Amino acid sequence: MEVLKSCVLLNYSARQLSAVREISTLREGAKVEKKGVVLFNPKKLNPFQRLKREMFTCARKYGTKLEALGAWLVPLDRADAADEEFKRLVQQYEDAAVDFCAEYRDLVDAQCIAHPLDAEDIRGAAPADTAVREVLRASCVLYQLPEEIRETGLERELDSLPGQVASEMAQDLRDSLGSGHRYTRDTLNVIRRVAKKAGSFGFLHPSLAAVPGLVNGLLSRLPPDGPYRGEEALNIGVVIAFLQDPARLLAEGENLGEDLFVKATDLLPEQDEAHQGTEAPTPTEAVVVSIAEMASAVDMPARGPVDEAEDVNSWF
């Protein structure tokens, strides 16, 4: 249970209101008919949905999900930063709730005007103003478990944390970078963020602890601004492909260093003696190199296609 002594637990909530309510109407013959009515323009809830997504991203940025407790495990050295960022998001959520409640009744009236045949049902189904404010609330709490309630059943889940952290890092890269292969300064910022998370959980596994050094080795080869091409793009892609392979990361990350990086010439076919005097293409001629090519260049198995519809929560 030493892991729990090095971390705090983070729980957050972002309660939301539904724009649709189901109502029941009694028809002739005691037949009950159910239907859904739209109370107001659902787009008015977009700010709350955006902030809830930001909270999830923030939790994944600083921690890893501890499913048995329904909380995120955050290293002590990042707890203050996580707390500060969540305070900002919670305040934004509360401000959005105040703004929404101020116009809530007008939104319901507008929906009734737009749908006069359903106006009676809409007004009947719309919750009171006080109930709406009570629903639209966000909160976050960070805490440590008292020694006496640390169950031994947690040990099995704690043992799986290195693989879970590596999987979350891989998912973060997929979510943030998509399937494109053109690399910019923003790409490097995403890699830095993932490396920082790996380093903060370095006490779980030496391969996670080695990731910041690997990323620093990459950054030392690059100018601060992109776009990056040729050998530069090649090495960025190789590092991304490596970080997106949790099994290989944990198996080899501790021992990988300079060996992971390659030169553009490593992808060129060997020349026979008759062509030795021929000038080789310069690295800058390769504008885009696919992840599959990068992976094969370092004997790394290419990953299969990512299902864009995959639920991100399934990773935790």
mmCIF file of all heavy atoms in Angstrom, residues 50-71:
data_model
loop_
_atom_site.group_PDB
_atom_site.id
_atom_site.type_symbol
_atom_site.label_atom_id
_atom_site.label_comp_id
_atom_site.label_asym_id
_atom_site.label_seq_id
_atom_site.Cartn_x
_atom_site.Cartn_y
_atom_site.Cartn_z
ATOM 1 N N ARG A 50 -19.075 20.875 -22.280
ATOM 2 C CA ARG A 50 -17.669 21.187 -22.560
ATOM 3 C C ARG A 50 -16.843 21.173 -21.281
ATOM 4 O O ARG A 50 -15.746 20.593 -21.235
ATOM 5 C CB ARG A 50 -17.568 22.560 -23.236
ATOM 6 C CG ARG A 50 -16.125 23.014 -23.458
ATOM 7 C CD ARG A 50 -16.062 24.413 -24.049
ATOM 8 N NE ARG A 50 -16.717 25.402 -23.204
ATOM 9 C CZ ARG A 50 -16.158 25.943 -22.131
ATOM 10 N NH1 ARG A 50 -14.926 25.581 -21.759
ATOM 11 N NH2 ARG A 50 -16.803 26.845 -21.425
ATOM 12 N N LEU A 51 -17.357 21.774 -20.224
ATOM 13 C CA LEU A 51 -16.623 21.823 -18.963
ATOM 14 C C LEU A 51 -16.488 20.438 -18.338
ATOM 15 O O LEU A 51 -15.461 20.113 -17.736
ATOM 16 C CB LEU A 51 -17.320 22.776 -17.990
ATOM 17 C CG LEU A 51 -17.138 24.262 -18.307
ATOM 18 C CD1 LEU A 51 -18.102 25.108 -17.499
ATOM 19 C CD2 LEU A 51 -15.700 24.701 -18.039
ATOM 20 N N LYS A 52 -17.496 19.607 -18.503
ATOM 21 C CA LYS A 52 -17.400 18.240 -17.975
ATOM 22 C C LYS A 52 -16.309 17.464 -18.712
ATOM 23 O O LYS A 52 -15.556 16.701 -18.101
ATOM 24 C CB LYS A 52 -18.741 17.522 -18.107
ATOM 25 C CG LYS A 52 -18.767 16.167 -17.404
ATOM 26 C CD LYS A 52 -20.162 15.586 -17.365
ATOM 27 C CE LYS A 52 -20.167 14.280 -16.581
ATOM 28 N NZ LYS A 52 -21.532 13.698 -16.478
ATOM 29 N N ARG A 53 -16.211 17.666 -20.038
ATOM 30 C CA ARG A 53 -15.137 17.017 -20.790
ATOM 31 C C ARG A 53 -13.772 17.534 -20.331
ATOM 32 O O ARG A 53 -12.804 16.772 -20.226
ATOM 33 C CB ARG A 53 -15.321 17.256 -22.294
ATOM 34 C CG ARG A 53 -16.474 16.487 -22.913
ATOM 35 C CD ARG A 53 -16.400 16.516 -24.427
ATOM 36 N NE ARG A 53 -16.467 17.855 -24.964
ATOM 37 C CZ ARG A 53 -17.600 18.475 -25.298
ATOM 38 N NH1 ARG A 53 -18.754 17.850 -25.143
ATOM 39 N NH2 ARG A 53 -17.576 19.695 -25.810
ATOM 40 N N GLU A 54 -13.692 18.839 -20.067
ATOM 41 C CA GLU A 54 -12.426 19.410 -19.600
ATOM 42 C C GLU A 54 -12.031 18.839 -18.243
ATOM 43 O O GLU A 54 -10.841 18.631 -17.959
ATOM 44 C CB GLU A 54 -12.533 20.929 -19.522
ATOM 45 C CG GLU A 54 -12.511 21.616 -20.880
ATOM 46 C CD GLU A 54 -12.392 23.129 -20.749
ATOM 47 O OE1 GLU A 54 -11.750 23.595 -19.784
ATOM 48 O OE2 GLU A 54 -12.950 23.831 -21.603
ATOM 49 N N MET A 55 -13.012 18.580 -17.392
ATOM 50 C CA MET A 55 -12.718 17.986 -16.087
ATOM 51 C C MET A 55 -12.164 16.577 -16.247
ATOM 52 O O MET A 55 -11.208 16.184 -15.560
ATOM 53 C CB MET A 55 -13.984 17.967 -15.219
ATOM 54 C CG MET A 55 -14.408 19.326 -14.729
ATOM 55 S SD MET A 55 -15.894 19.243 -13.698
ATOM 56 C CE MET A 55 -16.211 20.992 -13.462
ATOM 57 N N PHE A 56 -12.750 15.817 -17.157
ATOM 58 C CA PHE A 56 -12.225 14.467 -17.404
ATOM 59 C C PHE A 56 -10.794 14.540 -17.932
ATOM 60 O O PHE A 56 -9.914 13.796 -17.487
ATOM 61 C CB PHE A 56 -13.116 13.735 -18.415
ATOM 62 C CG PHE A 56 -12.533 12.424 -18.871
ATOM 63 C CD1 PHE A 56 -12.637 11.290 -18.093
ATOM 64 C CD2 PHE A 56 -11.848 12.335 -20.082
ATOM 65 C CE1 PHE A 56 -12.073 10.084 -18.507
ATOM 66 C CE2 PHE A 56 -11.285 11.155 -20.497
ATOM 67 C CZ PHE A 56 -11.406 10.017 -19.710
ATOM 68 N N THR A 57 -10.552 15.444 -18.880
ATOM 69 C CA THR A 57 -9.209 15.606 -19.434
ATOM 70 C C THR A 57 -8.225 16.009 -18.346
ATOM 71 O O THR A 57 -7.084 15.524 -18.305
ATOM 72 C CB THR A 57 -9.222 16.662 -20.550
ATOM 73 O OG1 THR A 57 -10.116 16.232 -21.598
ATOM 74 C CG2 THR A 57 -7.838 16.862 -21.135
ATOM 75 N N CYS A 58 -8.643 16.896 -17.464
ATOM 76 C CA CYS A 58 -7.785 17.342 -16.371
ATOM 77 C C CYS A 58 -7.466 16.186 -15.428
ATOM 78 O O CYS A 58 -6.313 16.015 -15.005
ATOM 79 C CB CYS A 58 -8.468 18.475 -15.615
ATOM 80 S SG CYS A 58 -7.489 19.168 -14.274
ATOM 81 N N ALA A 59 -8.474 15.382 -15.087
ATOM 82 C CA ALA A 59 -8.252 14.243 -14.196
ATOM 83 C C ALA A 59 -7.285 13.247 -14.824
ATOM 84 O O ALA A 59 -6.395 12.705 -14.148
ATOM 85 C CB ALA A 59 -9.584 13.568 -13.873
ATOM 86 N N ARG A 60 -7.431 12.999 -16.115
ATOM 87 C CA ARG A 60 -6.532 12.070 -16.798
ATOM 88 C C ARG A 60 -5.131 12.661 -16.933
ATOM 89 O O ARG A 60 -4.142 11.929 -16.912
ATOM 90 C CB ARG A 60 -7.090 11.720 -18.189
ATOM 91 C CG ARG A 60 -6.295 10.631 -18.895
ATOM 92 C CD ARG A 60 -6.966 10.177 -20.178
ATOM 93 N NE ARG A 60 -7.050 11.240 -21.168
ATOM 94 C CZ ARG A 60 -7.583 11.098 -22.370
ATOM 95 N NH1 ARG A 60 -8.112 9.927 -22.707
ATOM 96 N NH2 ARG A 60 -7.626 12.098 -23.222
ATOM 97 N N LYS A 61 -5.053 13.964 -17.050
ATOM 98 C CA LYS A 61 -3.757 14.633 -17.162
ATOM 99 C C LYS A 61 -2.929 14.448 -15.893
ATOM 100 O O LYS A 61 -1.724 14.179 -15.951
ATOM 101 C CB LYS A 61 -3.982 16.117 -17.441
ATOM 102 C CG LYS A 61 -2.738 16.991 -17.363
ATOM 103 C CD LYS A 61 -3.130 18.452 -17.576
ATOM 104 C CE LYS A 61 -1.955 19.393 -17.372
ATOM 105 N NZ LYS A 61 -2.383 20.817 -17.545
ATOM 106 N N TYR A 62 -3.570 14.579 -14.740
ATOM 107 C CA TYR A 62 -2.838 14.536 -13.473
ATOM 108 C C TYR A 62 -2.856 13.170 -12.795
ATOM 109 O O TYR A 62 -1.987 12.900 -11.954
ATOM 110 C CB TYR A 62 -3.419 15.572 -12.497
ATOM 111 C CG TYR A 62 -3.121 16.987 -12.886
ATOM 112 C CD1 TYR A 62 -4.097 17.795 -13.470
ATOM 113 C CD2 TYR A 62 -1.859 17.525 -12.680
ATOM 114 C CE1 TYR A 62 -3.815 19.103 -13.827
ATOM 115 C CE2 TYR A 62 -1.574 18.837 -13.040
ATOM 116 C CZ TYR A 62 -2.558 19.623 -13.613
ATOM 117 O OH TYR A 62 -2.276 20.919 -13.976
ATOM 118 N N GLY A 63 -3.831 12.339 -13.114
ATOM 119 C CA GLY A 63 -3.977 11.097 -12.364
ATOM 120 C C GLY A 63 -4.281 9.887 -13.203
ATOM 121 O O GLY A 63 -4.283 9.937 -14.430
ATOM 122 N N THR A 64 -4.555 8.797 -12.512
ATOM 123 C CA THR A 64 -4.987 7.561 -13.155
ATOM 124 C C THR A 64 -6.170 7.026 -12.369
ATOM 125 O O THR A 64 -6.239 7.179 -11.139
ATOM 126 C CB THR A 64 -3.841 6.526 -13.207
ATOM 127 O OG1 THR A 64 -4.258 5.391 -13.973
ATOM 128 C CG2 THR A 64 -3.434 6.043 -11.826
ATOM 129 N N LYS A 65 -7.123 6.398 -13.055
ATOM 130 C CA LYS A 65 -8.379 6.012 -12.414
ATOM 131 C C LYS A 65 -8.180 4.805 -11.514
ATOM 132 O O LYS A 65 -7.629 3.784 -11.925
ATOM 133 C CB LYS A 65 -9.437 5.699 -13.489
ATOM 134 C CG LYS A 65 -10.845 5.560 -12.930
ATOM 135 C CD LYS A 65 -11.358 6.901 -12.431
ATOM 136 C CE LYS A 65 -12.777 6.806 -11.885
ATOM 137 N NZ LYS A 65 -13.776 6.596 -12.949
ATOM 138 N N LEU A 66 -8.625 4.925 -10.274
ATOM 139 C CA LEU A 66 -8.633 3.808 -9.327
ATOM 140 C C LEU A 66 -10.079 3.353 -9.219
ATOM 141 O O LEU A 66 -10.863 3.867 -8.431
ATOM 142 C CB LEU A 66 -8.082 4.253 -7.967
ATOM 143 C CG LEU A 66 -7.770 3.162 -6.954
ATOM 144 C CD1 LEU A 66 -6.757 2.172 -7.513
ATOM 145 C CD2 LEU A 66 -7.242 3.763 -5.662
ATOM 146 N N GLU A 67 -10.426 2.364 -10.054
ATOM 147 C CA GLU A 67 -11.823 1.983 -10.251
ATOM 148 C C GLU A 67 -12.480 1.503 -8.970
ATOM 149 O O GLU A 67 -13.669 1.764 -8.733
ATOM 150 C CB GLU A 67 -11.903 0.900 -11.327
ATOM 151 C CG GLU A 67 -13.226 0.848 -12.060
ATOM 152 C CD GLU A 67 -13.503 2.110 -12.864
ATOM 153 O OE1 GLU A 67 -12.632 2.523 -13.640
ATOM 154 O OE2 GLU A 67 -14.601 2.678 -12.703
ATOM 155 N N ALA A 68 -11.760 0.792 -8.134
ATOM 156 C CA ALA A 68 -12.350 0.221 -6.917
ATOM 157 C C ALA A 68 -12.899 1.296 -5.990
ATOM 158 O O ALA A 68 -13.850 1.058 -5.241
ATOM 159 C CB ALA A 68 -11.308 -0.623 -6.183
ATOM 160 N N LEU A 69 -12.313 2.481 -6.040
ATOM 161 C CA LEU A 69 -12.756 3.575 -5.187
ATOM 162 C C LEU A 69 -13.501 4.653 -5.957
ATOM 163 O O LEU A 69 -13.953 5.641 -5.371
ATOM 164 C CB LEU A 69 -11.552 4.200 -4.468
ATOM 165 C CG LEU A 69 -10.797 3.265 -3.525
ATOM 166 C CD1 LEU A 69 -9.592 3.979 -2.918
ATOM 167 C CD2 LEU A 69 -11.708 2.768 -2.411
ATOM 168 N N GLY A 70 -13.610 4.478 -7.264
ATOM 169 C CA GLY A 70 -14.303 5.477 -8.080
ATOM 170 C C GLY A 70 -13.633 6.833 -8.034
ATOM 171 O O GLY A 70 -14.294 7.875 -8.085
ATOM 172 N N ALA A 71 -12.313 6.840 -7.925
ATOM 173 C CA ALA A 71 -11.563 8.091 -7.803
ATOM 174 C C ALA A 71 -10.337 8.040 -8.690
ATOM 175 O O ALA A 71 -9.983 6.996 -9.231
ATOM 176 C CB ALA A 71 -11.155 8.316 -6.341
#
